[in-house]
Amino acid sequence: MIPSNLLIINYHKIEKKSDIGLTARHPEAFKRDLDTLVQEGYTTINFHHLKAQGKLPAKPVIITFDDGYLSFYDVAFKELLKRNMTAVVYVPVNYIGKSNDWDVQLGYKKYAHMTAQQLQEIAEQNFEIGSHTLNHKYLNGLSDSELEKELGESKRMLEEQTAASVISVSYPFGKYNKNVLKLSQKYYDFGVQLMPPFFRDSPDNKLCLQRINIYRTDSAATLKKKLSYSNYKLLIIKNRLIQQGAWATILLKKMRGNK
Ligand SMILES: [Zn+2]
């Protein structure tokens, strides 16, 4: 069901000014990224296309945006529309029309989020709106009832506010565990994450699909490298081997009685 050559890439803010986490992509760099995707023969789809199980383009790519920042509406939306592209916007529902504060403690600036009306406008252009939970909490530490709220209630409220069907979820901070996956399955067809590849439970689980993060510092060359699927697969395998190697070394040392 998930095509083996599907790429999912991720952005946060599209801003001229940099931020501490280096996730704010400069608008000019973002435009260049989109042009690179076109030049390399990629066609954007979203999870609604995957769910419909129709014929997919030869080189499908899903572009996701976490956090539902206003910069998506102001910059990215227009640039995507110009190129006939689609994308998925992941929204923390309790921040719709407000500014974020979940990472302000870490020294981050406050950023505005899109309003319900802007989200509706985006959905009307056949973009996908997905859940980024209610409050952008770290899900692994929550009880089942809190998790139900963050996952189930966010979907219900988002569908009500945007008049669009919500079929995918992005886990805050990209992190999840088995319990999060189990409960997500009740509400969503697809889930996306940002954990290092060697932490993945099951690479083919459609509720924890891996994404490629695009950072402030990515150049046209590093973007192309990240897009190259064979390299990406190799990177995953390499990371896994390094990780397994690290464990093997620890075990061997223990068996030999070394530190
Ligand atoms: Zn987020």
Side-chain angles (χ1 to χ4, degrees):
M1 184 176 182
I2 305 285
S4 59
N5 65 339
L6 174 69
L7 282 182
I8 312 175
I9 63 180
N10 187 50
Y11 293 98
H12 292 84
K13 317 168 184 90
I14 308 295
E15 297 271 344
K16 278 189 183 159
K17 274 196 165 175
S18 187
D19 65 348
I20 291 177
L22 293 180
T23 59
R25 191 81 171 136
H26 192 286
E28 292 307 318
F30 176 71
K31 286 184 211 172
R32 193 186 62 210
D33 294 349
L34 297 186
D35 292 334
T36 301
L37 286 174
V38 174
Q39 282 155 19
E40 299 285 308
Y42 289 96
T43 308
T44 55
I45 61 165
N46 58 46
F47 288 109
H48 289 299
H49 298 110
L50 271 193
K51 196 181 174 181
Q53 292 188 324
K55 196 176 171 337
L56 294 175
K59 290 174 86 174
V61 60
I62 296 181
I63 307 179
T64 68
F65 292 82
D66 275 5
D67 304 336
Y69 291 117
L70 187 59
S71 65
F72 175 83
Y73 185 81
D74 287 344
V75 184
F77 185 39
K78 293 179 182 72
E79 294 301 328
L80 288 158
L81 281 178
K82 263 191 219 167
R83 293 164 179 81
N84 266 324
M85 289 171 148
T86 185
V88 191
V89 179
Y90 288 109
V91 182
V93 179
N94 283 346
Y95 288 95
I96 293 175
K98 297 179 192 157
S99 60
N100 71 321
D101 58 15
W102 66 80
D103 49 11
V104 170
Q105 313 88 295
L106 303 170
Y108 287 74
K109 233 174 77 175
K110 278 199 177 194
Y111 289 93
H113 290 84
M114 288 182 273
T115 64
Q117 205 189 340
Q118 287 165 337
L119 291 171
Q120 272 174 30
E121 206 183 304
I122 290 164
E124 279 163 15
Q125 296 293 332
N126 295 319
F127 280 59
E128 180 185 346
I129 310 292
S131 167
H132 202 30
T133 72
L134 282 182
N135 299 301
H136 206 282
K137 285 181 181 167
Y138 177 55
L139 299 179
N140 294 3
L142 300 184
S143 67
D144 277 9
S145 62
E146 281 176 300
L147 261 184
E148 285 276 354
K149 251 197 210 159
E150 291 291 334
L151 295 166
E153 190 71 1
S154 64
K155 174 187 161 89
R156 195 191 59 74
M157 286 172 69
L158 206 49
E159 289 185 335
E160 201 178 272
Q161 292 191 42
T162 63
S165 103
V166 173
I167 61 164
S168 69
V169 59
S170 163
Y171 309 112
F173 312 103
K175 302 243 184 341
Y176 65 94
N177 61 20
K178 278 189 179 145
N179 199 35
V180 170
L181 293 188
K182 199 182 86 193
L183 290 176
S184 297
Q185 207 163 13
K186 281 172 69 176
Y187 304 102
Y188 302 99
D189 294 285
F190 304 94
V192 292
Q193 48 124 338
L194 280 172
M195 304 241 286
F198 42 79
F199 281 121
R200 301 196 309 178
D201 279 344
S202 152
D204 302 318
N205 188 335
K206 63 191 179 75
L207 280 155
C208 51
L209 297 167
Q210 178 74 349
R211 293 180 290 176
I212 303 166
N213 232 350
I214 310 295
Y215 294 102
R216 183 87 186 174
T217 47
D218 272 312
S219 64
T222 61
L223 174 73
K224 274 189 199 170
K225 211 171 174 186
K226 285 183 172 184
L227 292 176
S228 149
Y229 184 71
S230 53
N231 283 353
Y232 182 60
K233 265 277 188 212
L234 277 178
L235 181 75
I236 290 173
I237 294 165
K238 197 176 119 200
N239 280 338
R240 220 179 260 159
L241 287 176
I242 290 170
Q243 187 68 0
Q244 280 165 0
W247 280 112
T249 311
I250 292 166
L251 283 173
L252 270 177
K253 279 192 172 178
K254 278 207 167 162
M255 281 162 70
R256 286 178 185 153
N258 296 339
K259 316 127 256 186

